[in-house]
């Protein structure tokens, strides 16, 4: 018997490798924090879509906006604040 075999801890497997520990459950739906995150993201995406369509409809129906105005509103909605700061041109839309 070699020295390595006699000094091997009991937690090691037959080949000298550490014994496998129980892996965590790979199904994310069992974790409450993931379900809350997923639900929040779903509400955010749905709200963004409804807001985008709603603003365009209001612009056309109530303000009689042209196609160009609706396009500018859509561009401004998707543009980050650093690219298109609130200038007087965009505040009129």
């Amino acid at each position: 018997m070699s020295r390595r075999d006699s000094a091997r801890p009991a937690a090691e497997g037959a080949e000298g490798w550490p014994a496998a520990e129980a892996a965590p459950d790979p199904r994310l739906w069992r974790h409450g924090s993931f379900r809350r995150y997923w639900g929040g993201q779903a509400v955010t995406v749905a709200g963004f879509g409804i807001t985008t369509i709603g603003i365009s409809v209001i612009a056309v129906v109530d303000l009689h906006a042209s196609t160009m105005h609706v396009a500018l509103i859509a561009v401004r909605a998707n543009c980050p604040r650093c690219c298109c700061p609130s200038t007087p041109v965009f505040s009129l839309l």
Side-chain angles (χ1 to χ4, degrees):
M1 188 190 271
S2 70
R3 182 175 182 165
R4 180 167 186 237
D5 290 335
S6 63
R8 180 173 27 170
E12 288 188 6
E15 291 83 29
W17 297 100
E21 295 180 17
D25 191 8
R27 293 170 288 211
L28 291 174
W29 290 107
R30 292 183 181 248
H31 300 283
S33 57
F34 174 75
R35 287 193 311 264
R36 284 189 297 274
Y37 172 76
W38 188 86
Q41 288 296 315
V43 168
T44 300
V45 169
F48 180 74
I50 291 170
T51 301
T52 302
I53 292 171
I55 287 175
S56 298
V57 168
I58 290 171
V60 170
V61 173
D62 288 342
L63 302 175
H64 306 290
S66 68
T67 306
M68 180 64 163
H69 290 123
V70 174
L72 286 174
I73 290 170
V75 167
R76 176 61 177 102
N78 292 319
C79 188
R81 298 259 182 226
C82 62
C83 292
C84 296
S86 296
T87 60
V89 173
F90 287 112
S91 64
L92 293 176
L93 298 178

